[in-house]
Amino acid sequence: MITTETTTAELLALLDRWVELGWLRPLDRALAGFFAEQQPDADARVLLAAALASHQLGHGHVCLDLAATLAEPDFALSLPPEGEEGLADAWLPSQQLTALTLAGWAQALAHSELVAANGEPERPLVLHGERVYLRRYWSYEQGVARALAARISDDRPVPGDLSDWLERLFPEPLVLDGERQTDWQKLACALAASSGFTLITGGPGTGKTTTVVRLLALLQGTAEQPLRIRLAAPTGKAAARLTESIGAQVASLPVDDSVRAQIPAEVSTLHRLLGSLPGSRHFRHHAGNPLPLDVLVVDEASMIDLEMMHSLLSALPAHARLLLLGDKDQLASVEAGALLGDLCRHAEQGLYQPERLAWLEQVSGERLVHPSLVAGEPGRHGLAQRILMLRYSRRFAGGSGIGRLAEAVNRQQPGLAREQLGGRAEVAAVRLKGEQDAALNRLLHGGRGEAVGYGHYLVQLRDARPAAGTAFDDPAWSDWAKGILTAFDEFRLLCAVRRGPWGVEGLNIRIAGLLHRRGLLEAQEGWYEGRPVLVTRNDYSLGLMNGDIGIALRLPEEDGRLVLRVAFPRNDGSGELRFVLPSRLGEVETVFAMTVHKSQGSEFAHTAMILPEALNPVLTKELLYTGITRARHWFTLLEPRKGVFEQAIARRVERRSGLLESLSQE
């Protein structure tokens, strides 16, 4: 038990035990050990806070919340949710931390030479109220809060003909199920026209991309000179999807060709936009070398972590408008921070001040009416005046089983979610009886009368191959490769975890073996034709980004030899492919199955999601919602054990940060 008398050696021995049990990362214990070397007389409670603050970063938390840790001590470590067989309770944090008090722990930190109160002076740990930060993340959070506060207060003069432009871009009233509805897309454009910072959130199919294309037309059409506009997304896949979507919509805009020509169609990754410096956390663009642009649009903002947002805001010139798009209910970034979730905490309520509400209704001709809207207090809720939530999904309209299932999960209604799984043709639940259940094999293969599986793209690979003797430079080879990549994206198996029989690692091996035994793959290990691979690290020399997916194919050389190359879609929106020799790909993994996290920014005609057989810390309603909303036409839930789905719905992501508090103080 940790007390005021606990020695450094005793504390480090406890941390060693937690590392052995897998509850603490070696990195976290090493940090505490380093601090102990720097300050041999350090209070054990300070070293404990350092280790736990580091560990919390690994789980997406920006800081260690002392009060929350003492209220639920086991929350601070990577504990199995249902405990471990035969484990002595004495090692549990709930036993080790019982002698600590909030006041005593905070006092020990406040008096330590390793800790700075509220960031001053320069010390490795920062204590702010009841939260402990590693200094770097304290600096990131404060920098983001200052930058956003400045942009939130940045009112822009609106064009005198704004109402006319809104009517031009939204000529028809929004009618759903025979009734006129509030056009939230139109309102979002009005809101963004008046501000240097706007955040638009909404679920799949609510029209985020449609809104931003029309907004860009409005901004270009009313600008005195052409605006420099850049579009970006966190991953290559998300960038490619936005590129495709924008390109299709710009052509139909009811504006002059001169305006249409000034709306960019190319979307880059954030790393490429900022200019990553190899082997460094830094970028070419920063406060001293800002981005050369007037408007920046960032899609899939839920995937942006705190460090990246800090880098982005630092590089953004003061005059530039910033528009963030994203689904607040999706999973947050794998790295520390849940920025979109934090910023959109009250998005559903609106909290618009009376004058803002009246102006929006007057300029748009719409009425802001929705059961969840709550009026904001005059002079308060400044952030809320820059946020708009799109509320109607065209993708999951009417009686869509996928849409209803996603909504039930998002609202944490397990009974209704289970009911949706059993009553709709496009959604289904399959109870697996074991690792070798034939139902799983049938789903993975796909077949007549069923939603597609992996057999779909492999049959196309075999049957649609250009005829023998087709010249190596014939476009038929590129068309064939594009068709296979498109067919592969028709189906995807998503996992909640990486390890174990129901995790990515084991299932990728199993699926390759199944398809090999059925004669659809020539091999199941190493490099073989048809192997789908996921890039796991940015490779700027090849133009490949983390998250890019390619497929190994045999393609002809000039001398007629067939050589295995991996076909990847280019990230420039051209629709063209790049072909890379497998020997040049170092950081890739097979991707029949992928984690829900990695699937963000993608969508598949048929999405299957497999749950582990025991509750796991990553299983939350956000993970389920994200997995379900990757599906366009069919969704299948695979359950090794019934009840885990309902348990996961009852849990939600909790990420500790002080961003909103810091933002309110600016």
Side-chain angles (χ1 to χ4, degrees):
M1 181 184 301
I2 300 170
T3 69
T4 56
E5 306 301 321
T6 299
T7 67
T8 297
E10 290 170 337
L11 188 278
L12 294 178
L14 173 64
L15 299 185
D16 285 334
R17 180 59 175 144
W18 284 352
V19 171
E20 291 173 12
L21 292 166
W23 297 352
L24 193 71
R25 301 179 302 173
L27 173 66
D28 311 322
R29 192 277 182 211
L31 181 66
F34 173 74
F35 286 161
E37 291 174 3
Q38 300 300 305
Q39 190 178 351
D41 61 345
D43 191 310
R45 293 170 293 178
V46 174
L47 300 179
L48 173 67
L52 294 181
S54 174
H55 187 71
Q56 292 288 79
L57 280 173
H59 287 269
H61 305 281
V62 176
C63 58
L64 173 71
D65 187 317
L66 298 177
T69 299
L70 292 177
E72 296 183 80
D74 294 344
F75 172 79
L77 295 181
S78 304
L79 296 180
E82 297 175 351
E84 290 186 356
E85 291 286 334
L87 180 65
D89 288 345
W91 293 110
L92 292 168
S94 52
Q95 298 299 313
Q96 291 291 330
L97 274 58
T98 52
L100 293 184
T101 64
L102 179 59
W105 202 359
Q107 186 177 36
L109 286 158
H111 288 94
S112 172
E113 294 183 6
L114 294 168
V115 183
N118 300 322
E120 299 293 340
E122 289 282 337
R123 291 175 179 171
L125 298 176
V126 174
L127 176 66
H128 182 73
E130 297 174 353
R131 295 189 295 273
V132 179
Y133 295 80
L134 300 189
R135 171 165 289 280
R136 183 150 56 91
Y137 285 87
W138 160 261
S139 299
Y140 291 154
E141 187 172 274
Q142 293 301 301
V144 168
R146 285 192 298 271
L148 286 178
R151 293 185 178 279
I152 288 168
S153 61
D154 182 12
D155 288 317
R156 298 292 176 97
V158 298
D161 56 351
L162 177 58
S163 293
D164 295 337
W165 269 94
L166 292 174
E167 286 302 314
R168 182 177 180 181
L169 293 167
F170 298 89
E172 302 295 331
L174 177 62
V175 177
L176 296 175
D177 299 326
E179 294 185 11
R180 177 163 182 175
Q181 306 289 341
T182 300
D183 193 334
W184 297 97
Q185 295 182 20
K186 188 176 182 182
L187 287 163
C189 286
L191 191 73
S194 66
S195 173
F197 169 71
T198 308
L199 196 164
I200 299 174
T201 186
T206 51
K208 296 185 290 294
T209 305
T210 301
T211 303
V212 77
V213 168
R214 297 184 187 186
L215 172 62
L216 294 180
L218 188 157
L219 294 177
Q220 282 288 23
T222 57
E224 295 182 0
Q225 58 186 17
L227 298 171
R228 297 169 298 172
I229 299 173
R230 294 295 301 274
L231 310 172
T235 66
K237 188 71 173 178
R241 278 194 60 212
L242 183 60
T243 297
E244 181 182 350
S245 181
I246 284 182
Q249 295 192 37
V250 168
S252 63
L253 283 171
V255 296
D256 296 339
D257 289 342
S258 59
V259 173
R260 195 179 293 114
Q262 295 295 330
I263 299 175
E266 180 181 346
V267 185
S268 71
T269 64
L270 289 174
H271 282 85
R272 189 181 296 279
L273 174 76
L274 293 173
S276 290
L277 299 176
S280 167
R281 305 177 77 102
H282 303 295
F283 297 96
R284 188 172 67 254
H285 290 289
H286 45 74
N289 180 30
L291 291 161
L293 52 78
D294 302 307
V295 180
L296 176 61
V297 178
V298 183
D299 195 19
E300 296 288 353
S302 63
M303 301 168 67
I304 305 176
D305 61 86
L306 181 66
E307 182 177 1
M308 175 55 79
M309 182 61 79
H310 180 264
S311 298
L312 183 65
L313 292 173
S314 297
L316 199 62
H319 76 275
R321 293 178 187 262
L322 175 62
L323 179 63
L324 300 180
L325 308 173
D327 185 344
K328 68 180 179 64
D329 297 313
Q330 276 193 31
L331 282 168
S333 163
V334 176
E335 305 299 330
L339 282 151
L340 194 70
D342 283 344
L343 297 176
C344 293
R345 192 167 297 175
H346 303 297
E348 197 155 345
Q349 295 172 287
L351 297 179
Y352 297 120
Q353 296 166 359
E355 61 272 20
R356 169 67 62 175
L357 191 66
W359 180 82
L360 282 171
E361 292 191 336
Q362 180 268 322
V363 76
S364 68
E366 299 290 323
R367 291 197 61 217
L368 272 77
V369 178
H370 194 273
S372 63
L373 285 178
V374 176
E377 299 175 27
R380 294 192 60 201
H381 311 300
L383 172 62
Q385 313 313 302
R386 307 304 191 196
I387 298 174
L388 191 133
M389 179 176 170
L390 304 177
R391 299 169 187 266
Y392 301 121
S393 174
R394 277 77 168 174
R395 180 167 142 198
F396 299 139
S400 164
I402 298 172
R404 292 186 178 220
L405 175 62
E407 183 178 6
V409 167
N410 199 31
R411 297 190 179 281
Q412 296 187 288
Q413 299 172 315
L416 182 57
R418 177 61 65 181
E419 181 182 319
Q420 294 299 324
L421 281 168
R424 302 270 173 178
E426 65 267 37
V427 293
V430 176
R431 176 80 164 85
L432 301 177
K433 298 174 183 176
E435 295 179 33
Q436 303 304 319
D437 194 315
L440 176 58
N441 293 344
R442 286 195 299 271
L443 180 132
L444 292 170
H445 183 282
R448 186 178 301 171
E450 299 177 41
V452 294
Y454 289 124
H456 176 58
Y457 91 94
L458 290 170
V459 168
Q460 181 158 334
L461 184 156
R462 181 190 64 201
D463 295 349
R465 185 189 300 273
T470 303
F472 80 99
D473 57 354
D474 192 304
W477 290 106
S478 180
D479 292 342
W480 172 65
K482 290 177 187 176
I484 293 166
L485 284 163
T486 299
F488 179 69
D489 271 350
E490 289 293 288
F491 174 75
R492 195 62 41 85
L493 178 65
L494 306 182
C495 304
V497 297
R498 287 196 60 83
R499 295 178 178 83
W502 309 112
V504 166
E505 294 174 1
L507 281 165
N508 273 317
I509 294 172
R510 176 180 170 179
I511 296 168
L514 168 70
L515 297 174
H516 174 59
R517 290 192 301 274
R518 296 195 173 186
L520 293 171
L521 291 178
E522 62 190 29
Q524 61 188 66
E525 295 178 348
W527 283 101
Y528 49 84
E529 187 171 44
R531 181 190 177 192
V533 293
L534 173 77
V535 177
T536 58
R537 185 182 296 243
N538 293 342
D539 188 330
Y540 295 99
S541 65
L542 295 175
L544 297 176
M545 298 290 109
N546 184 359
D548 286 353
I549 290 177
I551 295 178
L553 300 171
R554 279 205 174 82
L555 297 161
E557 297 285 277
E558 190 170 359
D559 61 6
R561 290 181 305 118
L562 291 177
V563 175
L564 202 63
R565 294 182 181 270
V566 185
F568 290 96
R570 290 187 178 274
N571 290 320
D572 57 7
S574 65
E576 298 305 309
L577 305 180
R578 59 165 50 87
F579 299 95
V580 183
L581 287 169
S583 59
R584 299 191 64 193
L585 296 171
E587 303 289 343
V588 296
E589 60 185 32
T590 302
V591 70
F592 289 111
M594 67 194 303
T595 62
V596 175
H597 264 107
K598 287 286 189 181
S599 74
Q600 286 182 269
S602 301
E603 62 179 36
F604 315 101
H606 180 194
T607 299
M609 182 166 59
I610 192 164
L611 303 182
E613 55 191 348
L615 193 62
N616 183 288
V618 304
L619 285 173
T620 61
K621 65 106 170 173
E622 288 86 358
L623 181 133
L624 297 179
Y625 171 85
T626 303
I628 293 165
T629 54
R630 298 312 90 205
R632 283 198 308 272
H633 303 306
W634 301 284
F635 173 78
T636 304
L637 178 71
L638 299 163
E639 299 178 280
R641 181 169 70 82
K642 201 166 184 178
V644 173
F645 177 68
E646 285 80 3
Q647 289 175 292
I649 290 175
R651 303 167 74 237
R652 61 188 310 155
V653 171
E654 290 186 35
R655 290 204 165 176
R656 311 294 183 188
S657 84
L659 179 61
L660 285 184
E661 180 183 310
S662 297
L663 199 54
S664 66
Q665 294 172 353
E666 290 294 330

